[in-house]
């Protein structure tokens, strides 16, 4: 890990840089997470209330809370309560709000008009995905042809070939999902384990290459 750090920082003034803010390694060094940085910071005497630590702590806590809940954002006040409970530390509310503001300016987090807090990278990914889906639905993709259109009779014929050769008995919902992949600009295939998502994707790919 020391070699990785030296390599990433080009060997320049490494001890001084890391001693000043070990938490910067979280963004720069692969597999160097908050807990590792926090242990290092503690060993060299960086106080728990240092802003560099609180910034890293809030980013870490936000990601953990979102991952555990399966959500893409959390209310600002809920985040405050969740961070305190998650870490077992009581952060002063004014200091918490100050750190949030700093992280927002640094584009580490995004706070919307309803005071919902997002991890910035996830927020941007969702926004970009929404734009791409919107373009697909409007058939505004690059190129003169736009989204390729398939003949419905051809879809039916090739699907029958796929079904007969695979010896798989597709349900009506699976059949519809496979065919929609060739008649709609976008299709979302969802379902619990064992419901046939992989079977559907295999059939779509096999038909596409026919």
């Amino acid at each position: 890990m020391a070699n990785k750090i030296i390599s990433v920082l080009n060997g320049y003034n490494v001890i001084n840089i890391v001693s000043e803010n070990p938490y910067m390694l979280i963004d720069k060094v692969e597999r160097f997470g908050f807990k590792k940085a926090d242990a290092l910071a503690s060993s060299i005497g960086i106080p728990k209330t240092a802003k560099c630590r609180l910034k890293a702590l809030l980013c870490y806590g936000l990601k953990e809370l979102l991952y555990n809940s399966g959500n893409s954002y959390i209310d600002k006040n809920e985040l405050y309560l969740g961070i305190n409970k998650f870490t077992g530390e009581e952060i002063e509310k004014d200091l918490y709000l100050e750190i949030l503001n700093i992280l927002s300016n640094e584009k580490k987090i995004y706070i919307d008009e309803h005071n919902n807090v997002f991890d910035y990278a996830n927020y941007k990914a969702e926004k970009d995905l929404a734009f791409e889906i919107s373009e697909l639905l409007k058939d505004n993709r690059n190129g003169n042809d736009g989204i390729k259109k398939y003949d419905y009779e051809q879809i039916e014929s090739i699907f029958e070939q796929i079904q007969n050769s695979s010896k798989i008995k597709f349900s009506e919902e699976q059949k519809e999902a496979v065919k929609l992949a060739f008649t709609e600009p976008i299709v979302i295939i969802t379902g619990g384990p064992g419901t046939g998502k992989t079977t559907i994707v295999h059939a779509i790919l096999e038909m596409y290459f026919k």
Side-chain angles (χ1 to χ4, degrees), residues 41-139:
S42 178
S43 72
I44 59 177
I46 292 179
K48 287 195 168 187
T49 54
K51 285 186 179 178
C52 63
R53 179 180 185 270
L54 292 176
K55 284 165 59 179
L57 176 65
L58 260 64
C59 287
Y60 169 67
L62 172 64
K63 288 175 182 175
E64 288 293 309
L65 290 168
L66 293 179
Y67 178 81
N68 291 334
S69 66
N71 295 320
S72 56
Y73 63 84
I74 184 171
D75 175 77
K76 188 189 289 186
N77 291 323
E78 285 183 28
L79 175 61
Y80 176 68
L81 297 173
I83 291 282
N84 287 337
K85 185 177 179 181
F86 178 70
T87 62
E89 301 176 33
E90 187 70 36
I91 304 171
E92 290 183 16
K93 188 69 176 284
D94 288 345
L95 183 56
Y96 162 76
L97 294 173
E98 180 187 351
I99 297 299
L100 275 191
N101 190 50
I102 293 170
L103 291 172
S104 177
N105 290 334
E106 292 179 354
K107 295 195 181 306
K108 293 289 182 67
I109 64 170
Y110 176 80
I111 305 172
D112 70 11
E113 64 274 19
H114 304 295
N115 283 325
N116 296 313
V117 183
F118 299 72
D119 172 74
Y120 188 83
N122 286 347
Y123 168 77
K124 188 173 184 309
E126 282 199 352
K127 195 171 182 181
D128 290 347
L129 179 61
F131 174 78
E132 291 297 330
I133 289 174
S134 172
E135 291 300 292
L136 282 171
L137 292 173
K138 290 186 290 186
D139 198 357

Side-chain angles (χ1 to χ4, degrees), residues 90-210:
E90 187 70 36
I91 304 171
E92 290 183 16
K93 188 69 176 284
D94 288 345
L95 183 56
Y96 162 76
L97 294 173
E98 180 187 351
I99 297 299
L100 275 191
N101 190 50
I102 293 170
L103 291 172
S104 177
N105 290 334
E106 292 179 354
K107 295 195 181 306
K108 293 289 182 67
I109 64 170
Y110 176 80
I111 305 172
D112 70 11
E113 64 274 19
H114 304 295
N115 283 325
N116 296 313
V117 183
F118 299 72
D119 172 74
Y120 188 83
N122 286 347
Y123 168 77
K124 188 173 184 309
E126 282 199 352
K127 195 171 182 181
D128 290 347
L129 179 61
F131 174 78
E132 291 297 330
I133 289 174
S134 172
E135 291 300 292
L136 282 171
L137 292 173
K138 290 186 290 186
D139 198 357
N140 281 346
R141 290 197 306 187
N142 292 332
N144 297 326
D145 297 329
I147 295 171
K148 185 173 180 179
K149 304 297 191 296
Y150 293 90
D151 178 73
Y152 187 76
E153 288 185 5
Q154 186 183 21
I155 294 170
E156 286 284 340
S157 172
I158 294 176
F159 178 76
E160 288 301 319
Q161 293 176 36
I162 298 297
Q163 184 169 237
N164 294 334
S165 63
S166 66
K167 297 180 181 177
I168 294 173
K169 182 67 176 175
F170 290 89
S171 69
E172 289 304 315
E173 285 184 333
Q174 288 176 319
K175 289 179 185 178
E176 183 182 11
V178 173
K179 293 172 185 178
L180 281 174
F182 296 92
T183 58
E184 298 296 329
I186 184 168
V187 174
I188 297 173
I189 299 168
T190 185
T195 54
K197 298 186 297 297
T198 304
T199 301
I200 291 169
V201 172
H202 281 167
I204 291 170
L205 289 172
E206 197 172 346
M207 283 184 66
Y208 179 79
F209 288 109
K210 284 280 188 182

Side-chain angles (χ1 to χ4, degrees), residues 4 8-9 17 23-30 32:
K4 275 187 180 180
V8 166
L9 298 177
I17 293 173
Y23 298 98
M24 52 86 73
L25 297 173
I26 296 171
D27 294 328
K28 292 185 176 294
V29 180
E30 188 181 357
F32 199 97

